[in-house]
Amino acid sequence: MSNWLQQITRPEIWSMKGYSSARSEMADFAGMIQLDANENPFLPYPMSKEVHQLNRYPEPQPKAVISRLAAIYGVHKDQVLVARGMDEVMDLLVRVFCIPYKDSILFTPPTYGYYQVAADISGVGIVKVNLEDDFSLDADKLINAGRNKVKIVFLCTPNNPTGNMIDIAVIEKIALNMPNSIIAVDEAYMEFADAPSAVSLLNKYPNMVVMKTLSKAYAFAGVRVGTLLASNEIIKLIGKVIAPYPIPVPSINLIIQALSPFGLEVANSNIDVIKLERERMYQELSKVSGIHVYKSQANYLLIKVSEASSVYQHFLSRGIIIRNRSRDIPNTIRISIGTVLENNLVLRAFGVDIKEYLVSERTAVIVRKTNETDILARVNLDKKEPVKISTGIGFFDHMLEQLAKHGGFSLEISAKGDTHIDYHHTVEDVAISLGQALKNALGDKRGINRYGFVLPMDEANAAASIDLSGRGVLVFKANFPTPLIGEFPVELVEHFFLSFSDKLEAAIHLSATGGNAHHMVEGLFKACAKALNQAIKETSDDIPSTKGSI
Ligand SMILES: *Cc1c(COP(=O)(O)O)cnc(C)c1O
């Protein structure tokens, strides 16, 4: 054990033995009769599948969660501790290192409010080093104010509420020059930023710790999970103080699902949307006169207005709650980035003309989960980019790219299926999700052509016609000369279009001739795409049916 850590730890914490729970003493109790923890052998009411295992205490530090988090954050498993939200992590740090009525922590206003609260609760002193006028942090000023005087320095990056980053070189300088303080970096919003994480400094500076949360980027605020990343020595020390079984069983089960490879793809896709929306909001609001919008690397914007309390009231009267941050920075408000619709309502409240946004965006997202497949399908009929396809089947990816490219729409598909068994489930479930997504994006079909057709194209010998009629019908004529294209069974092509036409509720006629199955299939996808491209085009404000609806 290092002398250094012992010197900065509260002596009673250093010498105490943590609570040893029934679960923590046994590495693996699966299959054993569990009469060790005074649990109740019966399931609670109601006895549904969801309460399975709820009569048992959870693992104190659930292994499956720890190893997923270690992989995501890029650290070793023994450098991870999970707690009930990052706020509890801060509280634990203060309780382990700070002697009440003697020690202090340091933070850099304007910043997150809980550092002060954690100190106040524990009777711990506070040293404040204000950010500069441009919200940057002066490392030398902080080091002079805190060196050998404070036990913990809390640094928030991207900073809440200002949205800017602390330069990683500044963090490193502080860690290097304050070796007798814990440098605790709060990265609650780091997933939204285009800048390096301080995690890369962990192995270089034993006094550095990084705090993470699933509340923001992973949309899990209601589950309450925060993470401490630190040296194993510090992790063990904090582990002595944390409550015996901090993470409830239902939360553990949900976290494992959310952090699965597919869950992460959904999260990352949503993060991408939020970042795009942040940029759009920044651009639009920068044009509004009388306010100043600060650049943000997080999922909110700080805005300087002429009178924050009246702006706040104005939003409230429109049913929108925002945060008045004037107590920390005069006449500022902080607005979270919401859905496209919510953001448009914010723009409108600022007097921005949003007509352009209300008519043009035809988008949809489908997340579909079955026992065999996990599918995410996102379409935007009014954008051509991005086209990102990953189904685990190379040939199929290529065909779907053709469909999006020649269909002229943005398409993201991520599918995780049992392709090791066969391709059937994945192809069918992608077809279902894609058809459904396109149908949802089309909405009431106002203004579209509805029909599209493509005559046989020389190189492909394929023809297609489409009527977005509201009724799924497929007429498919193709005699493939070979049953396989590489490892891809050609019969799945008809299957794909059958499920696709059914969910899109479209009449689709496809035919192809030729001597090469690969060319024929590619021709079919291209022809279908071009017909679709015509059919989904908006040309008027009318619904293209004499009945007034389709
Ligand atoms: C929201 C927030 C947290 C809280 O994280 P939880 O895991 O939900 O407790 C921590 N730090 C900052 C800067 C935040 O904005």
Side-chain angles (χ1 to χ4, degrees):
M1 281 284 150
S2 85
N3 230 347
W4 159 79
L5 190 58
Q6 180 170 6
Q7 270 166 24
I8 66 163
T9 303
R10 273 173 64 196
E12 58 272 42
I13 301 286
W14 185 266
S15 56
M16 80 177 226
K17 201 169 158 332
Y19 176 71
S20 174
S21 63
R23 285 290 168 269
S24 61
E25 280 169 11
M26 177 105 53
D28 188 2
F29 45 88
M32 314 263 297
I33 294 171
Q34 294 170 39
L35 301 177
D36 57 327
N38 300 344
E39 295 152 340
N40 191 311
F42 302 110
L43 286 182
Y45 179 83
M47 293 191 205
S48 62
K49 192 160 146 258
E50 284 71 39
V51 301
H52 183 65
Q53 287 293 332
L54 286 195
N55 58 326
R56 301 293 174 188
Y57 283 109
E59 279 179 88
Q61 287 289 304
K63 281 188 282 299
V65 171
I66 296 284
S67 64
R68 289 301 299 151
L69 289 171
I72 290 165
Y73 297 137
V75 296
H76 191 272
K77 276 187 281 199
D78 71 11
Q79 294 179 292
V80 180
L81 177 118
V82 284
R84 289 164 303 202
M86 193 202 293
D87 292 335
E88 183 179 39
V89 173
M90 296 167 191
D91 188 55
L92 290 168
L93 288 171
V94 170
R95 284 197 280 150
V96 164
F97 292 108
C98 300
I99 300 172
Y101 309 116
K102 176 164 177 280
D103 288 335
S104 303
I105 64 156
L106 184 154
F107 58 86
T108 61
T111 190
Y112 186 54
Y114 198 78
Y115 314 132
Q116 162 114 42
V117 174
D120 288 349
I121 291 170
S122 291
V124 164
I126 285 159
V127 174
K128 296 181 187 177
V129 175
N130 288 331
L131 296 178
E132 305 303 301
D133 288 343
D134 64 356
F135 302 140
S136 66
L137 176 61
D138 183 335
D140 294 324
K141 200 165 94 180
L142 186 146
I143 293 164
N144 283 335
R147 179 158 40 193
N148 298 325
K149 291 192 205 103
V150 300
K151 281 291 186 67
I152 307 174
V153 176
F154 285 106
L155 300 175
C156 188
T157 182
N159 187 41
N160 181 0
T162 56
N164 63 312
M165 305 283 300
I166 300 175
D167 195 338
I168 190 137
V170 168
I171 297 176
E172 180 159 12
K173 186 169 186 189
I174 293 169
L176 179 69
N177 286 284
M178 297 180 69
N180 297 319
S181 306
I182 296 291
I183 311 304
V185 182
D186 179 340
E187 293 193 349
Y189 301 98
M190 188 50 106
E191 292 86 352
F192 299 108
D194 301 308
S197 158
V199 167
S200 60
L201 302 176
L202 276 183
N203 291 335
K204 208 162 155 197
Y205 301 98
N207 57 329
M208 280 248 340
V209 307
V210 176
M211 304 179 293
K212 298 278 195 178
T213 177
L214 298 185
S215 296
K216 310 287 164 50
Y218 294 94
F220 250 18
V223 176
R224 307 304 304 130
V225 191
T227 305
L228 175 70
L229 309 175
S231 70
N232 182 244
E233 256 191 314
I234 293 179
I235 295 292
K236 281 200 259 182
L237 200 53
I238 306 290
K240 293 207 281 188
V241 176
I242 197 168
Y245 311 98
I247 316 287
V249 172
S251 296
I252 293 172
N253 293 338
L254 288 171
I255 298 161
I256 291 169
Q257 285 181 48
L259 300 184
S260 67
F262 179 69
L264 293 180
E265 295 217 19
V266 174
N268 286 328
S269 168
N270 288 333
I271 290 169
D272 286 345
V273 172
I274 290 171
K275 285 166 73 174
L276 285 173
E277 278 296 285
R278 173 183 72 200
E279 183 58 26
R280 179 174 75 97
M281 294 295 282
Y282 176 81
Q283 294 299 342
E284 286 292 353
L285 291 174
S286 294
K287 293 183 222 152
V288 175
S289 65
I291 67 173
H292 176 77
V293 192
Y294 294 90
K295 259 273 174 218
S296 171
Q297 295 271 9
N299 66 338
Y300 48 80
L301 293 173
L302 183 75
I303 303 171
K304 185 136 195 142
V305 296
S306 54
E307 211 193 292
S309 55
S310 64
V311 173
Y312 179 85
Q313 285 304 327
H314 170 69
F315 272 81
L316 210 54
S317 70
R318 290 171 163 252
I320 304 171
I321 305 174
I322 59 174
R323 197 96 144 100
N324 184 346
R325 298 310 318 240
S326 301
R327 214 175 37 183
D328 301 320
I329 314 162
N331 283 319
T332 52
I333 53 170
R334 191 194 66 199
I335 305 183
S336 307
I337 303 297
T339 63
V340 174
L341 175 67
E342 290 168 343
N343 299 335
N344 284 337
L345 295 176
V346 167
L347 291 177
R348 192 162 72 185
F350 272 115
V352 177
D353 178 8
I354 58 166
K355 237 188 265 121
E356 172 199 347
Y357 293 119
L358 291 185
V359 293
S360 71
E361 295 277 292
R362 294 178 296 166
T363 66
V365 188
I366 299 286
V367 178
R368 189 168 189 277
K369 196 173 163 49
T370 65
N371 285 338
E372 291 90 20
T373 58
D374 286 335
I375 315 269
L376 167 76
R378 192 189 290 280
V379 300
N380 186 336
L381 300 182
D382 299 299
K383 289 225 171 82
K384 292 191 167 56
E385 299 286 335
V387 174
K388 278 200 271 183
I389 317 280
S390 141
T391 66
I393 308 171
F395 177 73
F396 190 39
D397 286 358
H398 182 50
M399 292 304 110
L400 293 169
E401 275 159 17
Q402 300 294 316
L403 198 64
K405 220 174 96 205
H406 295 280
F409 54 89
S410 156
L411 176 64
E412 267 181 82
I413 291 196
S414 160
K416 295 264 175 304
D418 51 358
T419 49
H420 56 287
I421 301 174
D422 75 35
Y423 293 166
H424 189 116
H425 291 135
T426 300
V427 170
E428 174 164 328
D429 290 351
V430 165
I432 289 171
S433 307
L434 177 59
Q436 184 85 53
L438 285 172
K439 176 176 173 284
N440 290 3
L442 283 167
D444 69 1
K445 303 183 189 167
R446 186 173 293 276
I448 63 167
N449 278 334
R450 172 177 165 177
Y451 303 101
F453 61 91
V454 176
L455 296 172
M457 298 181 293
D458 274 352
E459 80 286 17
N461 287 323
S465 68
I466 287 187
D467 175 8
L468 298 170
S469 59
R471 292 170 298 280
V473 177
L474 178 71
V475 178
F476 189 88
K477 287 195 195 120
N479 281 319
F480 297 109
T482 47
L484 288 175
I485 299 169
E487 290 181 350
F488 190 85
V490 180
E491 61 172 5
L492 289 182
V493 174
E494 180 169 0
H495 216 82
F496 171 86
F497 283 111
L498 190 63
S499 300
F500 179 68
S501 59
D502 184 49
K503 290 296 162 189
L504 178 58
E505 298 178 2
I508 302 183
H509 291 236
L510 293 173
S511 66
T513 55
N516 178 313
H518 188 134
H519 290 163
M520 289 169 71
V521 172
E522 188 152 348
L524 284 170
F525 271 88
K526 248 192 216 168
C528 181
K530 294 207 153 158
L532 198 56
N533 181 275
Q534 285 176 21
I536 64 179
K537 269 224 172 80
E538 284 179 306
T539 50
S540 75
D541 270 348
D542 301 331
I543 291 176
S545 162
T546 49
K547 297 195 204 93
S549 83
I550 22 177

